[in-house]
């Protein structure tokens, strides 16, 4: 560093110290993330430094972040790649920030206890990201760690932990509204229940129907045991076999189930979208190559990981207070599986299988 650079740096430190009413050494220690500075003073110094465009030291560079991924997340990683894209965005951002990531898969309570103890006892870890975890015991224990924690693709109903998710309720709302605009009134919603994020998508479907004066009948909610396309196809087949075609459109909580719905309908002789429109949520890359290509809602998967790490970094610097729930906007992707309704189906009129 040249003499002029040192002089400029010193002048800026003087300015920050004067604005905050603290010593230059306190400013220096706060910016470096050293111990011995009260949290409220550190926050004031960092905010003031940002306000005067002071180049903050890369105090998180070289720090480790633990990524705890649930068994569900790892199964998803293999099955339909949603988790893969979240992790891709996370790793690219970690590389840019100079943060080392250490993944810890958890499959049971023993795993959770082990990783929490490691996080608590290993000073080299500056923060933790928890991917696709809803269990209350894990969330409560993470909130008591005393280190920054951000949930990724899940949220804490008590807001003890900050989180980053897609706006799941909005995603389903705009998907259902797209179908309603095409004239569909009997819109089947297919989901695998169990996670709060998916419950938000069910709420969005219900919101859209009610907003347009339609009834969100319980018989229009179809639950499956897993996200596998073949289970979606099987569920549609059984429903139509029992009740006939009691809907003109299908909205699914994930693209993999939409894939299954298309397969099941086509196997029964129905054309998509001529007889039934189908729409998914996620915009997985493979959805563009289905027959017909799947209309869906784009979830910013890569941005979920990057945004979560940015939030965690701010928390590690003492900037992100209070705790917050960040939801990323989604948008409709038009392809070939949605068309205007041709044969409206009333609740009391069920089209039989031909």
């Amino acid at each position: 560093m040249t003499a002029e650079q040192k002089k400029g740096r010193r002048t800026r430190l003087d300015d920050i110290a004067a604005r905050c009413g603290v010593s230059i050494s306190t400013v220096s220690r706060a910016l470096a993330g050293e111990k011995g500075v009260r949290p409220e003073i550190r926050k004031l110094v960092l905010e003031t430094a940002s306000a005067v465009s002071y180049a903050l030291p890369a105090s998180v560079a070289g720090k480790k972040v633990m990524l705890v991924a649930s068994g569900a997340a790892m199964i998803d990683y293999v099955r339909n790649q949603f988790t893969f894209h979240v992790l891709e965005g996370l790793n690219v951002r970690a590389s840019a920030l100079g943060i080392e990531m250490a993944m810890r898969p958890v499959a049971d309570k023993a795993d959770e206890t082990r990783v929490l103890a490691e996080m608590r006892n290993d000073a080299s870890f500056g923060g933790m990201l928890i991917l696709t975890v809803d269990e209350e015991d894990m969330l409560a224990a993470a909130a008591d760690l005393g280190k920054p924690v951000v949930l990724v693709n899940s949220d804490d109903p008590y807001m003890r932990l900050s989180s980053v998710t897609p706006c799941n309720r909005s995603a389903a709302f705009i998907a259902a509204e797209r179908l309603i605009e095409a004239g569909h009134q009997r819109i089947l919603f297919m989901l695998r229940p169990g996670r709060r994020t998916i419950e938000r998508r069910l709420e969005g479907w219900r919101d859209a129907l009610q907003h347009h004066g339609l009834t969100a009948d319980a018989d229009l909610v179809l639950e499956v045991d897993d996200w596998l396309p073949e289970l979606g196809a099987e569920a549609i087949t059984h429903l139509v076999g029992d009740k006939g075609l009691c809907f003109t459109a299908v909205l699914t909580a994930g693209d993999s189930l939409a894939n299954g719905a298309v397969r099941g309908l086509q196997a029964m002789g129905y054309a998509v979208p001529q007889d039934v429109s189908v729409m998914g949520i996620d915009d997985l890359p493979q959805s563009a190559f289905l027959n017909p290509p799947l209309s869906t809602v784009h979830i910013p998967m890569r941005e979920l990981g990057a945004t979560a790490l940015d939030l965690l970094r701010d928390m590690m610097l003492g900037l992100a207070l209070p705790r917050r729930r960040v939801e990323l906007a989604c948008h409709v992707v038009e392809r070939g599986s949605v068309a205007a309704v041709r044969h409206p189906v009333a609740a009391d009129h069920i089209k039989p299988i031909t």
Side-chain angles (χ1 to χ4, degrees), residues 186-193 198-199 201-203 205-206 209 215-224 235-236 239 243 246-247 250-251 253:
R186 296 281 294 173
I187 302 171
L188 184 73
F189 189 81
M190 189 190 304
L191 74 160
R192 181 194 178 182
I198 301 304
E199 183 65 25
R201 295 184 182 187
L202 176 61
E203 292 168 357
W205 165 82
R206 188 179 295 122
L209 292 178
T215 302
D217 292 336
D219 65 353
L220 286 173
V221 178
L222 180 60
E223 297 183 355
V224 296
I236 284 283
L239 176 65
K243 298 184 177 180
C246 55
F247 50 87
V250 181
L251 172 60

PDB file of all heavy atoms in Angstrom, residues 186-193 198-199 201-203 205-206 209 215-224 235-236 239 243 246-247 250-251 253:
ATOM      1  N   ARG A 186     -62.350 -25.470 -13.137  1.00  0.00           N
ATOM      2  CA  ARG A 186     -62.104 -26.683 -12.342  1.00  0.00           C
ATOM      3  C   ARG A 186     -60.625 -27.037 -12.509  1.00  0.00           C
ATOM      4  O   ARG A 186     -60.213 -27.709 -13.459  1.00  0.00           O
ATOM      5  CB  ARG A 186     -62.997 -27.819 -12.824  1.00  0.00           C
ATOM      6  CG  ARG A 186     -64.483 -27.578 -12.646  1.00  0.00           C
ATOM      7  CD  ARG A 186     -64.923 -27.815 -11.217  1.00  0.00           C
ATOM      8  NE  ARG A 186     -64.778 -29.222 -10.840  1.00  0.00           N
ATOM      9  CZ  ARG A 186     -64.965 -29.690  -9.607  1.00  0.00           C
ATOM     10  NH1 ARG A 186     -65.272 -28.854  -8.614  1.00  0.00           N
ATOM     11  NH2 ARG A 186     -64.835 -30.970  -9.348  1.00  0.00           N
ATOM     12  N   ILE A 187     -59.800 -26.551 -11.590  1.00  0.00           N
ATOM     13  CA  ILE A 187     -58.346 -26.713 -11.672  1.00  0.00           C
ATOM     14  C   ILE A 187     -57.898 -27.644 -10.545  1.00  0.00           C
ATOM     15  O   ILE A 187     -57.999 -27.305  -9.360  1.00  0.00           O
ATOM     16  CB  ILE A 187     -57.625 -25.362 -11.553  1.00  0.00           C
ATOM     17  CG1 ILE A 187     -58.095 -24.411 -12.665  1.00  0.00           C
ATOM     18  CG2 ILE A 187     -56.103 -25.555 -11.609  1.00  0.00           C
ATOM     19  CD1 ILE A 187     -57.591 -22.985 -12.481  1.00  0.00           C
ATOM     20  N   LEU A 188     -57.443 -28.825 -10.909  1.00  0.00           N
ATOM     21  CA  LEU A 188     -56.939 -29.792  -9.940  1.00  0.00           C
ATOM     22  C   LEU A 188     -55.562 -29.357  -9.446  1.00  0.00           C
ATOM     23  O   LEU A 188     -54.717 -28.945 -10.250  1.00  0.00           O
ATOM     24  CB  LEU A 188     -56.843 -31.170 -10.594  1.00  0.00           C
ATOM     25  CG  LEU A 188     -56.408 -32.332  -9.689  1.00  0.00           C
ATOM     26  CD1 LEU A 188     -57.533 -32.717  -8.737  1.00  0.00           C
ATOM     27  CD2 LEU A 188     -55.986 -33.538 -10.544  1.00  0.00           C
ATOM     28  N   PHE A 189     -55.333 -29.435  -8.137  1.00  0.00           N
ATOM     29  CA  PHE A 189     -54.003 -29.121  -7.587  1.00  0.00           C
ATOM     30  C   PHE A 189     -53.407 -30.402  -7.027  1.00  0.00           C
ATOM     31  O   PHE A 189     -53.975 -31.036  -6.127  1.00  0.00           O
ATOM     32  CB  PHE A 189     -54.095 -28.061  -6.494  1.00  0.00           C
ATOM     33  CG  PHE A 189     -52.748 -27.551  -6.049  1.00  0.00           C
ATOM     34  CD1 PHE A 189     -52.076 -26.577  -6.778  1.00  0.00           C
ATOM     35  CD2 PHE A 189     -52.130 -28.066  -4.917  1.00  0.00           C
ATOM     36  CE1 PHE A 189     -50.826 -26.110  -6.385  1.00  0.00           C
ATOM     37  CE2 PHE A 189     -50.884 -27.612  -4.511  1.00  0.00           C
ATOM     38  CZ  PHE A 189     -50.231 -26.632  -5.252  1.00  0.00           C
ATOM     39  N   MET A 190     -52.247 -30.790  -7.549  1.00  0.00           N
ATOM     40  CA  MET A 190     -51.577 -32.014  -7.112  1.00  0.00           C
ATOM     41  C   MET A 190     -50.305 -31.671  -6.356  1.00  0.00           C
ATOM     42  O   MET A 190     -49.503 -30.838  -6.796  1.00  0.00           O
ATOM     43  CB  MET A 190     -51.227 -32.895  -8.323  1.00  0.00           C
ATOM     44  CG  MET A 190     -50.710 -34.291  -7.928  1.00  0.00           C
ATOM     45  SD  MET A 190     -50.023 -35.235  -9.339  1.00  0.00           S
ATOM     46  CE  MET A 190     -51.409 -35.219 -10.460  1.00  0.00           C
ATOM     47  N   LEU A 191     -50.112 -32.328  -5.210  1.00  0.00           N
ATOM     48  CA  LEU A 191     -48.950 -32.022  -4.389  1.00  0.00           C
ATOM     49  C   LEU A 191     -48.537 -33.215  -3.560  1.00  0.00           C
ATOM     50  O   LEU A 191     -49.334 -34.135  -3.316  1.00  0.00           O
ATOM     51  CB  LEU A 191     -49.252 -30.858  -3.438  1.00  0.00           C
ATOM     52  CG  LEU A 191     -50.153 -31.156  -2.217  1.00  0.00           C
ATOM     53  CD1 LEU A 191     -49.963 -30.102  -1.138  1.00  0.00           C
ATOM     54  CD2 LEU A 191     -51.622 -31.260  -2.600  1.00  0.00           C
ATOM     55  N   ARG A 192     -47.310 -33.178  -3.114  1.00  0.00           N
ATOM     56  CA  ARG A 192     -46.884 -34.055  -2.022  1.00  0.00           C
ATOM     57  C   ARG A 192     -46.880 -33.195  -0.777  1.00  0.00           C
ATOM     58  O   ARG A 192     -46.068 -32.265  -0.651  1.00  0.00           O
ATOM     59  CB  ARG A 192     -45.485 -34.623  -2.253  1.00  0.00           C
ATOM     60  CG  ARG A 192     -45.094 -35.554  -1.104  1.00  0.00           C
ATOM     61  CD  ARG A 192     -43.628 -35.891  -1.061  1.00  0.00           C
ATOM     62  NE  ARG A 192     -43.346 -36.734   0.099  1.00  0.00           N
ATOM     63  CZ  ARG A 192     -42.145 -37.169   0.430  1.00  0.00           C
ATOM     64  NH1 ARG A 192     -41.101 -36.831  -0.306  1.00  0.00           N
ATOM     65  NH2 ARG A 192     -41.972 -37.923   1.491  1.00  0.00           N
ATOM     66  N   PRO A 193     -47.753 -33.459   0.196  1.00  0.00           N
ATOM     67  CA  PRO A 193     -47.831 -32.609   1.389  1.00  0.00           C
ATOM     68  C   PRO A 193     -46.678 -32.893   2.344  1.00  0.00           C
ATOM     69  O   PRO A 193     -45.938 -33.866   2.183  1.00  0.00           O
ATOM     70  CB  PRO A 193     -49.171 -33.017   2.012  1.00  0.00           C
ATOM     71  CG  PRO A 193     -49.358 -34.439   1.584  1.00  0.00           C
ATOM     72  CD  PRO A 193     -48.736 -34.551   0.211  1.00  0.00           C
ATOM     73  N   ILE A 198     -44.441 -26.136   0.473  1.00  0.00           N
ATOM     74  CA  ILE A 198     -45.462 -26.688  -0.421  1.00  0.00           C
ATOM     75  C   ILE A 198     -46.854 -26.266   0.043  1.00  0.00           C
ATOM     76  O   ILE A 198     -47.748 -26.017  -0.777  1.00  0.00           O
ATOM     77  CB  ILE A 198     -45.339 -28.218  -0.495  1.00  0.00           C
ATOM     78  CG1 ILE A 198     -43.940 -28.602  -1.004  1.00  0.00           C
ATOM     79  CG2 ILE A 198     -46.417 -28.801  -1.393  1.00  0.00           C
ATOM     80  CD1 ILE A 198     -43.577 -27.978  -2.341  1.00  0.00           C
ATOM     81  N   GLU A 199     -47.046 -26.155   1.346  1.00  0.00           N
ATOM     82  CA  GLU A 199     -48.323 -25.659   1.860  1.00  0.00           C
ATOM     83  C   GLU A 199     -48.586 -24.243   1.353  1.00  0.00           C
ATOM     84  O   GLU A 199     -49.734 -23.882   1.041  1.00  0.00           O
ATOM     85  CB  GLU A 199     -48.300 -25.673   3.390  1.00  0.00           C
ATOM     86  CG  GLU A 199     -49.605 -25.235   4.042  1.00  0.00           C
ATOM     87  CD  GLU A 199     -50.769 -26.170   3.778  1.00  0.00           C
ATOM     88  OE1 GLU A 199     -50.526 -27.372   3.514  1.00  0.00           O
ATOM     89  OE2 GLU A 199     -51.922 -25.698   3.828  1.00  0.00           O
ATOM     90  N   ARG A 201     -47.750 -23.122  -1.513  1.00  0.00           N
ATOM     91  CA  ARG A 201     -48.199 -23.243  -2.903  1.00  0.00           C
ATOM     92  C   ARG A 201     -49.679 -23.632  -2.959  1.00  0.00           C
ATOM     93  O   ARG A 201     -50.420 -23.130  -3.807  1.00  0.00           O
ATOM     94  CB  ARG A 201     -47.321 -24.241  -3.663  1.00  0.00           C
ATOM     95  CG  ARG A 201     -45.881 -23.769  -3.785  1.00  0.00           C
ATOM     96  CD  ARG A 201     -44.988 -24.697  -4.615  1.00  0.00           C
ATOM     97  NE  ARG A 201     -43.614 -24.179  -4.624  1.00  0.00           N
ATOM     98  CZ  ARG A 201     -42.624 -24.679  -5.351  1.00  0.00           C
ATOM     99  NH1 ARG A 201     -42.839 -25.723  -6.147  1.00  0.00           N
ATOM    100  NH2 ARG A 201     -41.412 -24.149  -5.288  1.00  0.00           N
ATOM    101  N   LEU A 202     -50.090 -24.504  -2.070  1.00  0.00           N
ATOM    102  CA  LEU A 202     -51.512 -24.846  -1.985  1.00  0.00           C
ATOM    103  C   LEU A 202     -52.334 -23.605  -1.645  1.00  0.00           C
ATOM    104  O   LEU A 202     -53.414 -23.384  -2.219  1.00  0.00           O
ATOM    105  CB  LEU A 202     -51.716 -25.933  -0.924  1.00  0.00           C
ATOM    106  CG  LEU A 202     -53.162 -26.346  -0.632  1.00  0.00           C
ATOM    107  CD1 LEU A 202     -53.836 -26.906  -1.879  1.00  0.00           C
ATOM    108  CD2 LEU A 202     -53.195 -27.359   0.510  1.00  0.00           C
ATOM    109  N   GLU A 203     -51.831 -22.784  -0.747  1.00  0.00           N
ATOM    110  CA  GLU A 203     -52.532 -21.557  -0.381  1.00  0.00           C
ATOM    111  C   GLU A 203     -52.641 -20.599  -1.567  1.00  0.00           C
ATOM    112  O   GLU A 203     -53.663 -19.928  -1.753  1.00  0.00           O
ATOM    113  CB  GLU A 203     -51.807 -20.871   0.782  1.00  0.00           C
ATOM    114  CG  GLU A 203     -51.894 -21.637   2.090  1.00  0.00           C
ATOM    115  CD  GLU A 203     -50.931 -21.110   3.142  1.00  0.00           C
ATOM    116  OE1 GLU A 203     -50.147 -20.177   2.829  1.00  0.00           O
ATOM    117  OE2 GLU A 203     -50.946 -21.624   4.279  1.00  0.00           O
ATOM    118  N   TRP A 205     -52.791 -21.415  -4.795  1.00  0.00           N
ATOM    119  CA  TRP A 205     -53.842 -21.954  -5.671  1.00  0.00           C
ATOM    120  C   TRP A 205     -55.215 -21.556  -5.140  1.00  0.00           C
ATOM    121  O   TRP A 205     -56.078 -21.079  -5.886  1.00  0.00           O
ATOM    122  CB  TRP A 205     -53.693 -23.467  -5.734  1.00  0.00           C
ATOM    123  CG  TRP A 205     -54.866 -24.224  -6.275  1.00  0.00           C
ATOM    124  CD1 TRP A 205     -55.181 -24.427  -7.591  1.00  0.00           C
ATOM    125  CD2 TRP A 205     -55.880 -24.898  -5.513  1.00  0.00           C
ATOM    126  NE1 TRP A 205     -56.328 -25.185  -7.697  1.00  0.00           N
ATOM    127  CE2 TRP A 205     -56.781 -25.489  -6.438  1.00  0.00           C
ATOM    128  CE3 TRP A 205     -56.106 -25.068  -4.148  1.00  0.00           C
ATOM    129  CZ2 TRP A 205     -57.881 -26.235  -6.034  1.00  0.00           C
ATOM    130  CZ3 TRP A 205     -57.213 -25.813  -3.742  1.00  0.00           C
ATOM    131  CH2 TRP A 205     -58.092 -26.378  -4.676  1.00  0.00           C
ATOM    132  N   ARG A 206     -55.389 -21.733  -3.832  1.00  0.00           N
ATOM    133  CA  ARG A 206     -56.679 -21.400  -3.211  1.00  0.00           C
ATOM    134  C   ARG A 206     -56.961 -19.895  -3.301  1.00  0.00           C
ATOM    135  O   ARG A 206     -58.089 -19.478  -3.585  1.00  0.00           O
ATOM    136  CB  ARG A 206     -56.656 -21.863  -1.754  1.00  0.00           C
ATOM    137  CG  ARG A 206     -57.991 -21.768  -1.040  1.00  0.00           C
ATOM    138  CD  ARG A 206     -57.874 -22.274   0.399  1.00  0.00           C
ATOM    139  NE  ARG A 206     -57.563 -23.704   0.436  1.00  0.00           N
ATOM    140  CZ  ARG A 206     -56.499 -24.225   1.038  1.00  0.00           C
ATOM    141  NH1 ARG A 206     -55.606 -23.431   1.623  1.00  0.00           N
ATOM    142  NH2 ARG A 206     -56.309 -25.524   1.055  1.00  0.00           N
ATOM    143  N   LEU A 209     -58.215 -18.969  -6.894  1.00  0.00           N
ATOM    144  CA  LEU A 209     -59.594 -19.374  -7.140  1.00  0.00           C
ATOM    145  C   LEU A 209     -60.565 -18.459  -6.410  1.00  0.00           C
ATOM    146  O   LEU A 209     -61.548 -17.976  -6.991  1.00  0.00           O
ATOM    147  CB  LEU A 209     -59.799 -20.830  -6.701  1.00  0.00           C
ATOM    148  CG  LEU A 209     -59.074 -21.905  -7.526  1.00  0.00           C
ATOM    149  CD1 LEU A 209     -59.340 -23.287  -6.943  1.00  0.00           C
ATOM    150  CD2 LEU A 209     -59.491 -21.864  -8.988  1.00  0.00           C
ATOM    151  N   THR A 215     -64.712 -21.732  -6.381  1.00  0.00           N
ATOM    152  CA  THR A 215     -64.660 -22.525  -5.155  1.00  0.00           C
ATOM    153  C   THR A 215     -63.463 -23.470  -5.184  1.00  0.00           C
ATOM    154  O   THR A 215     -63.284 -24.222  -6.147  1.00  0.00           O
ATOM    155  CB  THR A 215     -65.945 -23.352  -4.985  1.00  0.00           C
ATOM    156  OG1 THR A 215     -67.067 -22.464  -4.978  1.00  0.00           O
ATOM    157  CG2 THR A 215     -65.908 -24.134  -3.676  1.00  0.00           C
ATOM    158  N   ALA A 216     -62.673 -23.406  -4.138  1.00  0.00           N
ATOM    159  CA  ALA A 216     -61.519 -24.308  -4.018  1.00  0.00           C
ATOM    160  C   ALA A 216     -61.984 -25.597  -3.332  1.00  0.00           C
ATOM    161  O   ALA A 216     -61.758 -25.832  -2.150  1.00  0.00           O
ATOM    162  CB  ALA A 216     -60.402 -23.641  -3.219  1.00  0.00           C
ATOM    163  N   ASP A 217     -62.673 -26.426  -4.111  1.00  0.00           N
ATOM    164  CA  ASP A 217     -63.252 -27.652  -3.554  1.00  0.00           C
ATOM    165  C   ASP A 217     -62.167 -28.604  -3.062  1.00  0.00           C
ATOM    166  O   ASP A 217     -61.112 -28.757  -3.687  1.00  0.00           O
ATOM    167  CB  ASP A 217     -64.095 -28.365  -4.614  1.00  0.00           C
ATOM    168  CG  ASP A 217     -65.346 -27.585  -4.983  1.00  0.00           C
ATOM    169  OD1 ASP A 217     -65.803 -26.782  -4.147  1.00  0.00           O
ATOM    170  OD2 ASP A 217     -65.853 -27.768  -6.110  1.00  0.00           O
ATOM    171  N   ALA A 218     -62.462 -29.278  -1.960  1.00  0.00           N
ATOM    172  CA  ALA A 218     -61.514 -30.246  -1.406  1.00  0.00           C
ATOM    173  C   ALA A 218     -61.245 -31.377  -2.382  1.00  0.00           C
ATOM    174  O   ALA A 218     -60.143 -31.938  -2.402  1.00  0.00           O
ATOM    175  CB  ALA A 218     -62.052 -30.794  -0.085  1.00  0.00           C
ATOM    176  N   ASP A 219     -62.247 -31.718  -3.234  1.00  0.00           N
ATOM    177  CA  ASP A 219     -62.034 -32.822  -4.166  1.00  0.00           C
ATOM    178  C   ASP A 219     -61.152 -32.438  -5.340  1.00  0.00           C
ATOM    179  O   ASP A 219     -60.846 -33.268  -6.195  1.00  0.00           O
ATOM    180  CB  ASP A 219     -63.371 -33.385  -4.656  1.00  0.00           C
ATOM    181  CG  ASP A 219     -64.170 -32.386  -5.494  1.00  0.00           C
ATOM    182  OD1 ASP A 219     -63.751 -31.213  -5.593  1.00  0.00           O
ATOM    183  OD2 ASP A 219     -65.208 -32.790  -6.058  1.00  0.00           O
ATOM    184  N   LEU A 220     -60.718 -31.170  -5.373  1.00  0.00           N
ATOM    185  CA  LEU A 220     -59.774 -30.727  -6.393  1.00  0.00           C
ATOM    186  C   LEU A 220     -58.330 -30.729  -5.888  1.00  0.00           C
ATOM    187  O   LEU A 220     -57.435 -30.255  -6.582  1.00  0.00           O
ATOM    188  CB  LEU A 220     -60.138 -29.323  -6.892  1.00  0.00           C
ATOM    189  CG  LEU A 220     -61.361 -29.235  -7.800  1.00  0.00           C
ATOM    190  CD1 LEU A 220     -61.711 -27.786  -8.093  1.00  0.00           C
ATOM    191  CD2 LEU A 220     -61.148 -30.011  -9.102  1.00  0.00           C
ATOM    192  N   VAL A 221     -58.106 -31.231  -4.687  1.00  0.00           N
ATOM    193  CA  VAL A 221     -56.749 -31.369  -4.145  1.00  0.00           C
ATOM    194  C   VAL A 221     -56.383 -32.841  -4.166  1.00  0.00           C
ATOM    195  O   VAL A 221     -57.063 -33.677  -3.556  1.00  0.00           O
ATOM    196  CB  VAL A 221     -56.651 -30.810  -2.712  1.00  0.00           C
ATOM    197  CG1 VAL A 221     -55.242 -31.023  -2.152  1.00  0.00           C
ATOM    198  CG2 VAL A 221     -57.016 -29.333  -2.688  1.00  0.00           C
ATOM    199  N   LEU A 222     -55.323 -33.161  -4.882  1.00  0.00           N
ATOM    200  CA  LEU A 222     -54.891 -34.550  -5.035  1.00  0.00           C
ATOM    201  C   LEU A 222     -53.501 -34.714  -4.426  1.00  0.00           C
ATOM    202  O   LEU A 222     -52.533 -34.115  -4.894  1.00  0.00           O
ATOM    203  CB  LEU A 222     -54.868 -34.927  -6.525  1.00  0.00           C
ATOM    204  CG  LEU A 222     -54.443 -36.359  -6.873  1.00  0.00           C
ATOM    205  CD1 LEU A 222     -55.373 -37.376  -6.226  1.00  0.00           C
ATOM    206  CD2 LEU A 222     -54.412 -36.544  -8.395  1.00  0.00           C
ATOM    207  N   GLU A 223     -53.410 -35.496  -3.377  1.00  0.00           N
ATOM    208  CA  GLU A 223     -52.141 -35.719  -2.681  1.00  0.00           C
ATOM    209  C   GLU A 223     -51.483 -36.999  -3.171  1.00  0.00           C
ATOM    210  O   GLU A 223     -52.152 -37.997  -3.454  1.00  0.00           O
ATOM    211  CB  GLU A 223     -52.367 -35.797  -1.170  1.00  0.00           C
ATOM    212  CG  GLU A 223     -52.908 -34.509  -0.574  1.00  0.00           C
ATOM    213  CD  GLU A 223     -53.058 -34.582   0.943  1.00  0.00           C
ATOM    214  OE1 GLU A 223     -52.832 -35.678   1.514  1.00  0.00           O
ATOM    215  OE2 GLU A 223     -53.407 -33.552   1.561  1.00  0.00           O
ATOM    216  N   VAL A 224     -50.154 -36.965  -3.278  1.00  0.00           N
ATOM    217  CA  VAL A 224     -49.368 -38.142  -3.643  1.00  0.00           C
ATOM    218  C   VAL A 224     -48.309 -38.366  -2.565  1.00  0.00           C
ATOM    219  O   VAL A 224     -47.996 -37.477  -1.780  1.00  0.00           O
ATOM    220  CB  VAL A 224     -48.706 -37.975  -5.023  1.00  0.00           C
ATOM    221  CG1 VAL A 224     -49.746 -37.867  -6.115  1.00  0.00           C
ATOM    222  CG2 VAL A 224     -47.796 -36.760  -5.044  1.00  0.00           C
ATOM    223  N   ALA A 235     -51.688 -41.463  -9.731  1.00  0.00           N
ATOM    224  CA  ALA A 235     -52.726 -40.747  -8.986  1.00  0.00           C
ATOM    225  C   ALA A 235     -53.795 -40.179  -9.921  1.00  0.00           C
ATOM    226  O   ALA A 235     -54.997 -40.264  -9.644  1.00  0.00           O
ATOM    227  CB  ALA A 235     -52.100 -39.632  -8.159  1.00  0.00           C
ATOM    228  N   ILE A 236     -53.359 -39.603 -11.045  1.00  0.00           N
ATOM    229  CA  ILE A 236     -54.307 -39.069 -12.027  1.00  0.00           C
ATOM    230  C   ILE A 236     -55.162 -40.195 -12.605  1.00  0.00           C
ATOM    231  O   ILE A 236     -56.394 -40.069 -12.759  1.00  0.00           O
ATOM    232  CB  ILE A 236     -53.549 -38.345 -13.158  1.00  0.00           C
ATOM    233  CG1 ILE A 236     -53.065 -36.971 -12.681  1.00  0.00           C
ATOM    234  CG2 ILE A 236     -54.411 -38.211 -14.396  1.00  0.00           C
ATOM    235  CD1 ILE A 236     -54.144 -35.910 -12.615  1.00  0.00           C
ATOM    236  N   LEU A 239     -57.782 -41.247 -10.055  1.00  0.00           N
ATOM    237  CA  LEU A 239     -58.810 -40.224  -9.862  1.00  0.00           C
ATOM    238  C   LEU A 239     -59.802 -40.229 -11.022  1.00  0.00           C
ATOM    239  O   LEU A 239     -61.026 -40.230 -10.810  1.00  0.00           O
ATOM    240  CB  LEU A 239     -58.160 -38.850  -9.736  1.00  0.00           C
ATOM    241  CG  LEU A 239     -59.130 -37.667  -9.619  1.00  0.00           C
ATOM    242  CD1 LEU A 239     -59.933 -37.755  -8.324  1.00  0.00           C
ATOM    243  CD2 LEU A 239     -58.389 -36.338  -9.691  1.00  0.00           C
ATOM    244  N   LYS A 243     -63.776 -41.000 -10.794  1.00  0.00           N
ATOM    245  CA  LYS A 243     -64.712 -39.875 -10.884  1.00  0.00           C
ATOM    246  C   LYS A 243     -64.903 -39.340 -12.293  1.00  0.00           C
ATOM    247  O   LYS A 243     -65.701 -38.415 -12.504  1.00  0.00           O
ATOM    248  CB  LYS A 243     -64.248 -38.733  -9.983  1.00  0.00           C
ATOM    249  CG  LYS A 243     -64.194 -39.090  -8.507  1.00  0.00           C
ATOM    250  CD  LYS A 243     -63.808 -37.873  -7.673  1.00  0.00           C
ATOM    251  CE  LYS A 243     -63.812 -38.206  -6.186  1.00  0.00           C
ATOM    252  NZ  LYS A 243     -63.439 -37.019  -5.363  1.00  0.00           N
ATOM    253  N   CYS A 246     -63.075 -34.756 -13.959  1.00  0.00           N
ATOM    254  CA  CYS A 246     -63.824 -33.744 -13.200  1.00  0.00           C
ATOM    255  C   CYS A 246     -63.077 -32.418 -13.133  1.00  0.00           C
ATOM    256  O   CYS A 246     -63.338 -31.598 -12.252  1.00  0.00           O
ATOM    257  CB  CYS A 246     -64.124 -34.256 -11.803  1.00  0.00           C
ATOM    258  SG  CYS A 246     -62.658 -34.781 -10.882  1.00  0.00           S
ATOM    259  N   PHE A 247     -62.170 -32.187 -14.061  1.00  0.00           N
ATOM    260  CA  PHE A 247     -61.370 -30.962 -14.090  1.00  0.00           C
ATOM    261  C   PHE A 247     -60.964 -30.708 -15.547  1.00  0.00           C
ATOM    262  O   PHE A 247     -60.984 -31.617 -16.370  1.00  0.00           O
ATOM    263  CB  PHE A 247     -60.124 -31.093 -13.205  1.00  0.00           C
ATOM    264  CG  PHE A 247     -59.339 -32.358 -13.470  1.00  0.00           C
ATOM    265  CD1 PHE A 247     -58.363 -32.403 -14.464  1.00  0.00           C
ATOM    266  CD2 PHE A 247     -59.600 -33.524 -12.752  1.00  0.00           C
ATOM    267  CE1 PHE A 247     -57.653 -33.565 -14.734  1.00  0.00           C
ATOM    268  CE2 PHE A 247     -58.890 -34.693 -13.012  1.00  0.00           C
ATOM    269  CZ  PHE A 247     -57.915 -34.719 -13.998  1.00  0.00           C
ATOM    270  N   VAL A 250     -54.779 -29.040 -14.706  1.00  0.00           N
ATOM    271  CA  VAL A 250     -54.027 -29.548 -13.560  1.00  0.00           C
ATOM    272  C   VAL A 250     -52.885 -28.578 -13.264  1.00  0.00           C
ATOM    273  O   VAL A 250     -52.128 -28.213 -14.171  1.00  0.00           O
ATOM    274  CB  VAL A 250     -53.441 -30.952 -13.828  1.00  0.00           C
ATOM    275  CG1 VAL A 250     -52.686 -31.462 -12.601  1.00  0.00           C
ATOM    276  CG2 VAL A 250     -54.533 -31.926 -14.246  1.00  0.00           C
ATOM    277  N   LEU A 251     -52.791 -28.155 -12.013  1.00  0.00           N
ATOM    278  CA  LEU A 251     -51.635 -27.390 -11.534  1.00  0.00           C
ATOM    279  C   LEU A 251     -50.954 -28.247 -10.486  1.00  0.00           C
ATOM    280  O   LEU A 251     -51.610 -28.743  -9.567  1.00  0.00           O
ATOM    281  CB  LEU A 251     -52.073 -26.056 -10.929  1.00  0.00           C
ATOM    282  CG  LEU A 251     -50.991 -25.238 -10.222  1.00  0.00           C
ATOM    283  CD1 LEU A 251     -49.855 -24.879 -11.165  1.00  0.00           C
ATOM    284  CD2 LEU A 251     -51.582 -23.979  -9.590  1.00  0.00           C
ATOM    285  N   ALA A 253     -47.633 -28.871  -7.676  1.00  0.00           N
ATOM    286  CA  ALA A 253     -46.704 -28.151  -6.805  1.00  0.00           C
ATOM    287  C   ALA A 253     -45.259 -28.319  -7.233  1.00  0.00           C
ATOM    288  O   ALA A 253     -44.365 -27.717  -6.630  1.00  0.00           O
ATOM    289  CB  ALA A 253     -46.886 -28.595  -5.356  1.00  0.00           C
TER     290      ALA A 253
END
